[in-house]
């Protein structure tokens, strides 16, 4: 009985407190979307008749979008999107088809590899000796140049890609060797390739770091490991040949026995 009386008293007192707080909140009205200096300065708390009133949060408007940094132009930017792919450029029917089919066969919807292949053909056409030349030093330099520039553009966006960075450095070393040999053999062709492809040839440095004992020991160890691996592979190949020869002899002997 006493517990019921205590619960009723607590409920009555809480209801009275809630009515008083609602009345005070209705007395102090704040516009929800006003942007005054007092509200911008921070969340202020006002005390009215022994109670605290916290104003509603101020709406923050969207900020201006930041402009992205634009890098250097790509080597594929000069390719017009209306150009046909390399596989369909020489087909006469592709020139007279519908606009929708032309759009499908054009570079507008082509992949990056198709565009890069067309760029390689353009660079090859600048330096090749004749229209059937596909294996000269000049053509190899043009292919490596397109590949190196593609790696450079990729590494500007993905600078942590170590595998493609290694491939780019290997391609640069290969192109340096080809240009060095071409310069010694045919200087006019060397100048033409550098001018047409926009390559600046730099001479190797005059000073090289001297060979240390540690570097020599490491090189000898690598050569020993390489020779051991090659020897092991040769033994495996010899075993494979011997097993194939034994199976062939057995097959021929069985055939001879069947014929007899």
């Amino acid at each position: 009985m006493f517990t019921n009386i205590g619960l009723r008293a607590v409920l009555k007192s809480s209801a009275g407190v809630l009515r008083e707080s609602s009345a005070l909140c209705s007395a102090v009205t704040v516009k929800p979307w006003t942007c005054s200096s007092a509200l911008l300065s921070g969340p202020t708390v006002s005390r009215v008749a022994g109670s605290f009133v916290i104003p509603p949060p101020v709406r923050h408007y969207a900020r201006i979008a930041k402009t992205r940094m634009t890098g250097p132009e790509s080597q594929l930017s000069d390719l017009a999107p209306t150009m046909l792919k390399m596989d369909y450029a020489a087909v006469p029917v592709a020139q007279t088809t519908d606009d929708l089919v032309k759009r499908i066969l054009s570079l507008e919807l082509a992949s990056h590899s198709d565009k890069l292949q067309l760029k390689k053909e353009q660079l090859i056409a600048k330096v090749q000796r004749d229209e059937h030349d596909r294996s000269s030093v000049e053509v190899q330099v043009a292919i490596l140049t397109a590949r190196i520039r593609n790696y450079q553009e990729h590494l500007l966006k993905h600078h942590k890609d170590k595998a493609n960075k290694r491939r780019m450095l290997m391609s640069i070393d290969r192109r340096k060797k080809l240009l060095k040999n071409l310069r010694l053999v045919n200087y006019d062709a060397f100048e033409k390739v550098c001018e047409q492809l926009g390559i600046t040839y730099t001479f190797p440095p005059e000073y090289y770091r001297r060979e240390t004992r540690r570097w020599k020991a490491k090189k000898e160890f690598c050569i020993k490991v390489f020779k051991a691996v090659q020897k092991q592979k040769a033994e495996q190949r010899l075993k494979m040949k011997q097993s194939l020869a034994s199976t062939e002899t057995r097959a021929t002997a069985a055939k001879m026995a069947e014929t007899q």
Side-chain angles (χ1 to χ4, degrees), residues 70-83:
T70 58
E73 291 187 1
S74 173
Q75 63 170 345
L76 307 177
S77 59
D78 59 343
L79 298 176
T82 56
M83 293 175 62

Side-chain angles (χ1 to χ4, degrees), residues 135 213 217 257:
S135 60
R213 288 185 297 175

Side-chain angles (χ1 to χ4, degrees), residues 111-155:
S111 61
H112 182 77
S113 59
D114 294 337
K115 295 178 182 179
L116 185 62
Q117 187 65 26
L118 186 59
K119 191 64 181 179
K120 284 181 183 177
E121 292 297 325
Q122 288 183 356
L123 295 180
I124 288 170
K126 290 181 179 179
V127 297
Q128 62 182 356
R129 298 175 184 176
D130 51 38
E131 57 183 9
H132 302 292
D133 180 21
R134 305 295 297 181
S135 60
S136 62
V137 180
E138 294 89 335
V139 172
Q140 295 180 32
V141 170
I143 294 171
L144 287 172
T145 301
R147 196 176 300 167
I148 288 165
R149 290 172 182 171
N150 184 39
Y151 285 139
Q152 289 174 348
E153 294 168 7
H154 175 76
L155 289 171

